[in-house]
Amino acid sequence: MSEQLVLDMKKTALVLIDLQGGIVGRDVKPYPAMEIVARCREMADAFRAKGAPVVYVRVLMTDFLKLATDEVMQLPPEIPAAASEIVEAAGKQEGDLLITKRHWGAFAGTELEQELRGRGVEKIVIAGIATNLGVESAVRQGTGLGFNFVTVSDACSTFSAEMQEFALKYIFPRLSRVRTTSQVLEAIGN
């Protein structure tokens, strides 16, 4: 059994990955995208109520960094601006941070590290879509920078059950604490 989660809300931030039009419209598993959005919004409301930072990270779909890879990401020739915007249902509020990335990871080439350090953040609660892409990339980069993470298992989803299972069984337990939305809310005191 995992130990009880303790969060110092003066040193903890919530980082939500890619809750944007071009991502939440995709078929993800094991949880539908709008279920992920709802859980993330619930946590964001709880973090705000405690005065803790809430960060929404989006990828700029029209400027996605093109790298030489064996599997090229297929993007449509015309990408509407809404594809890169945080969906209204995610509940982004004035005062929340918005970080724009150009590739999978939220820290590389962005101001995320500086924004978090400037607020005294040491621990990051992270959730979003896709578990093994944007979320995992952020956790890998952030642990390399010395941040501690809590990955919210039922507030992440990806493109197959196998991808989700592998990430939550073999990757995240080695890089973070893995807890559910209810465990995070309990630790916040909601």
Side-chain angles (χ1 to χ4, degrees), residues 133-153:
L133 298 170
V135 176
E136 184 177 323
S137 293
V139 173
R140 286 180 181 274
Q141 290 172 346
T143 57
L145 297 169
F147 290 103
N148 290 295
F149 281 86
V150 176
T151 304
V152 188
S153 60

Side-chain angles (χ1 to χ4, degrees), residues 99-179:
I99 300 294
T100 301
K101 60 182 179 157
R102 295 182 56 233
H103 206 258
W104 305 114
F107 286 94
T110 74
E111 66 280 8
L112 181 57
E113 178 185 7
Q114 293 78 9
E115 290 286 353
L116 294 174
R117 294 216 190 277
R119 288 166 172 77
V121 171
E122 296 174 3
K123 185 176 286 184
I124 298 168
V125 174
I126 192 165
I129 302 171
T131 308
N132 61 317
L133 298 170
V135 176
E136 184 177 323
S137 293
V139 173
R140 286 180 181 274
Q141 290 172 346
T143 57
L145 297 169
F147 290 103
N148 290 295
F149 281 86
V150 176
T151 304
V152 188
S153 60
D154 64 345
C156 294
S157 222
T158 191
F159 304 108
S160 76
E162 295 81 14
M163 289 177 176
Q164 179 87 354
E165 182 181 353
F166 186 87
L168 290 172
K169 185 174 181 179
Y170 296 107
I171 304 300
F172 288 115
R174 289 167 174 81
L175 298 172
S176 70
R177 304 284 183 166
V178 179
R179 300 295 188 271

Side-chain angles (χ1 to χ4, degrees), residues 14 16 19-20 24 34 36-49 54-56 85-98:
L14 177 65
L16 303 172
L19 301 180
Q20 61 191 76
V24 301
M34 293 314 289
I36 298 302
V37 169
R39 286 187 182 125
C40 289
R41 183 178 186 148
E42 184 178 12
M43 287 187 292
D45 291 343
F47 268 72
R48 274 188 224 100
V54 176
V55 182
Y56 289 83
E85 298 302 322
I86 302 299
V87 296
E88 188 175 328
K92 184 181 172 306
Q93 303 290 314
E94 189 175 325
D96 294 341
L97 290 169
L98 178 63

Side-chain angles (χ1 to χ4, degrees), residues 174-187:
R174 289 167 174 81
L175 298 172
S176 70
R177 304 284 183 166
V178 179
R179 300 295 188 271
T180 63
T181 302
S182 62
Q183 288 172 311
V184 169
L185 293 173
E186 182 181 325

Side-chain angles (χ1 to χ4, degrees), residues 43-78:
M43 287 187 292
D45 291 343
F47 268 72
R48 274 188 224 100
K50 296 293 184 181
V54 176
V55 182
Y56 289 83
V57 177
R58 66 178 178 167
V59 62
L60 191 58
M61 305 283 288
T62 56
D63 194 26
F64 194 84
L65 186 63
K66 310 259 187 304
L67 299 173
T69 59
D70 286 332
E71 187 175 330
V72 177
M73 191 168 121
Q74 298 298 319
L75 295 172
E78 295 295 321

